[in-house]
Amino acid sequence: MAEQLEFYFDFSSPYGYLASFRIDDIAAKHGRSVTWRPYLLGAVFPVSGMKPLVQIPLKNTYSLHDLNRVSRLYNIPFQLPDPFPIPTQAAGRVFYFLDDSDPELAKIFAKAAMTAYFAENVDIRTRETVADIAAKAGGDHEACLAAINDPVYKDRLKNETQTGIDRGAFGSPFVFVDGEPFWGNDRLEMIDAWLERGGW
Amino acid sequence: MAEQLEFYFDFSSPYGYLASFRIDDIAAKHGRSVTWRPYLLGAVFPVSGMKPLVQIPLKNTYSLHDLNRVSRLYNIPFQLPDPFPIPTQAAGRVFYFLDDSDPELAKIFAKAAMTAYFAENVDIRTRETVADIAAKAGGDHEACLAAINDPVYKDRLKNETQTGIDRGAFGSPFVFVDGEPFWGNDRLEMIDAWLERGGW
């Protein structure tokens, strides 16, 4: 059976959010599925020396314009949330807790959490809010709340982040296709072509 | 008559080099032409706080891999030159000197200079080398040599760079389509779609 694609993203990454709507469909066209791997750009930036979009003069103005343009193109609701960016430990830990027993549920939760943040300006930093979103998606409210403070899921998120960095991921979205790295929402078409041709 | 596309690039930018092979064809498909605007990323980086690709951990490894991948996809000869990146004042001044009387010749020169640098590892920092390339392309060797030290073309390149920054350009390639900004070689397909639909 063909290897799964691996989709690294940060819950606070707008381009990761946009990519989350399309990555599974692109993989499915080619009979492939996708493993989602939330990680923490807050831990990646000190390694790369890069900064969040909004902190980069010129690029910040362009990126906001571009995010609105890309979201219009794909009919994805989007508004830059405030505050932005935010730390996303709570959402990441709940994701891996759900993922352990039900990867599809974890994806539904992730989509709901990013949609809450990027389309409805819901602050997804707090435990209660994240657990509420998880419960609405079909998870157990108390268990999700507990996972956020559980050393097992604290370590899991840290380790997944380190694994991403060790493999060379430095942004969001960052996708591995049979080991081949693709950075950015604007590379989804290239991933599609890569899967179609089996590389080049 | 429809406005021309404006193509900002730095002679030392590999993604600008790759885009230079396709931007005119994409515009021509839609009955449009392209004004080329070399500028100096060395003057842009202090404004944006960004850095050359090779100075960014993780991104440097990815970018080199990606440049080879993209150049294979489009059958464009490419090898990362050494030294890289380089200051490109000489090439930029000759470009604007040629552009004043013959924009098509300026483009032929620009393609030849970038091809020398990115496909043949020719160091295009020196006046002599740049004038040789310009002469081979059809320019006047002595006049090109003189333009490199001419305050008119020194100022011209500075002013074009400042104009690019003032308009929000911060990378290479950076293309304006009727005022709409597009950053990156991987946005050429979106430019194509934008021209096709007349925006969205």
Side-chain angles (χ1 to χ4, degrees):
Chain A
M1 196 180 127
E3 228 179 291
Q4 297 207 317
L5 278 66
E6 291 153 299
F7 170 54
Y8 283 84
F9 66 99
D10 184 304
F11 276 94
S12 180
S13 157
Y15 287 110
Y17 162 68
L18 295 174
S20 75
F21 283 81
R22 301 196 292 136
I23 186 67
D24 284 277
D25 289 346
I26 288 170
K29 272 175 64 181
H30 307 282
R32 303 286 284 266
S33 58
V34 186
T35 303
W36 288 28
R37 285 287 169 265
Y39 74 145
L40 301 172
L41 286 183
V44 177
F45 288 144
V47 178
S48 67
M50 294 170 76
K51 281 189 273 187
L53 291 176
V54 284
Q55 293 176 23
I56 304 171
L58 300 175
K59 192 173 176 182
N60 53 4
T61 307
Y62 174 80
S63 298
L64 184 54
H65 182 86
D66 183 60
L67 285 164
N68 282 296
R69 175 171 64 192
V70 176
S71 61
R72 285 198 309 275
L73 178 62
Y74 295 110
N75 280 314
I76 296 171
F78 173 79
Q79 53 174 319
L80 193 72
D82 180 22
F84 169 83
I86 55 170
T88 56
Q89 275 82 354
R93 292 171 194 161
V94 165
F95 177 92
Y96 285 112
F97 167 70
L98 296 172
D99 190 60
D100 272 349
S101 54
D102 188 344
E104 283 312 307
L105 175 59
K107 287 187 190 184
I108 292 167
F109 157 72
K111 286 176 190 167
M114 287 192 280
T115 299
Y117 183 52
F118 286 110
E120 296 148 26
N121 202 29
V122 173
D123 187 339
I124 58 167
R125 285 176 296 185
T126 63
R127 296 173 64 216
E128 274 299 334
T129 303
V130 170
D132 285 351
I133 293 168
K136 224 185 253 180
D140 181 277
H141 193 280
E142 286 311 300
C144 288
L145 212 47
I148 296 171
N149 283 341
D150 187 335
V152 169
Y153 293 103
K154 289 184 177 181
D155 284 351
R156 176 71 184 280
L157 181 58
K158 268 188 213 159
N159 293 339
E160 294 284 359
T161 298
Q162 191 56 51
T163 299
I165 294 169
D166 291 345
R167 297 178 65 188
F170 58 86
S172 170
F174 204 100
V175 180
F176 291 97
V177 181
D178 306 327
E180 183 78 11
F182 295 90
W183 171 48
N185 180 62
D186 40 17
R187 286 306 177 87
L188 293 189
E189 283 71 24
M190 187 176 276
I191 291 173
D192 194 6
W194 187 269
L195 288 167
E196 182 71 33
R197 301 192 195 183
W200 57 80
Chain B
M1 196 181 129
E3 230 179 290
Q4 296 206 320
L5 276 67
E6 290 151 299
F7 170 55
Y8 283 85
F9 66 98
D10 184 301
F11 277 93
S12 181
S13 158
Y15 287 110
Y17 162 69
L18 295 174
S20 74
F21 284 82
R22 301 196 291 135
I23 186 68
D24 285 277
D25 289 345
I26 288 170
K29 271 176 64 179
H30 307 283
R32 303 286 284 266
S33 59
V34 185
T35 303
W36 288 28
R37 285 287 168 264
Y39 74 143
L40 301 172
L41 286 183
V44 178
F45 288 144
V47 178
S48 67
M50 293 170 76
K51 283 188 271 189
L53 290 176
V54 284
Q55 292 176 25
I56 303 171
L58 301 174
K59 192 173 176 180
N60 53 5
T61 307
Y62 174 79
S63 298
L64 185 54
H65 181 85
D66 184 59
L67 285 163
N68 282 296
R69 176 171 63 192
V70 175
S71 60
R72 286 199 308 276
L73 177 62
Y74 294 109
N75 281 313
I76 298 171
F78 172 80
Q79 55 175 321
L80 193 71
D82 180 21
F84 170 82
I86 56 170
T88 56
Q89 274 82 352
R93 292 170 194 161
V94 166
F95 177 91
Y96 285 112
F97 167 71
L98 297 171
D99 190 60
D100 273 349
S101 54
D102 188 345
E104 284 311 307
L105 176 59
K107 287 187 190 185
I108 292 166
F109 157 73
K111 286 176 190 167
M114 288 192 278
T115 299
Y117 184 52
F118 286 110
E120 296 147 26
N121 203 27
V122 173
D123 187 340
I124 57 167
R125 284 176 297 185
T126 63
R127 295 173 64 217
E128 275 298 336
T129 303
V130 170
D132 286 351
I133 294 168
K136 225 185 256 179
D140 182 276
H141 193 280
E142 286 311 301
C144 287
L145 214 46
I148 296 172
N149 285 341
D150 187 334
V152 169
Y153 293 103
K154 289 184 178 181
D155 284 350
R156 177 73 186 278
L157 181 58
K158 268 187 214 159
N159 293 339
E160 294 284 359
T161 299
Q162 191 57 50
T163 299
I165 294 170
D166 291 344
R167 297 179 64 189
F170 58 87
S172 170
F174 203 101
V175 180
F176 291 97
V177 180
D178 306 326
E180 183 78 12
F182 294 90
W183 170 48
N185 179 62
D186 41 16
R187 286 305 176 86
L188 293 188
E189 282 71 24
M190 188 177 276
I191 290 172
D192 193 7
W194 187 270
L195 288 167
E196 181 71 32
R197 301 192 195 184
W200 57 78

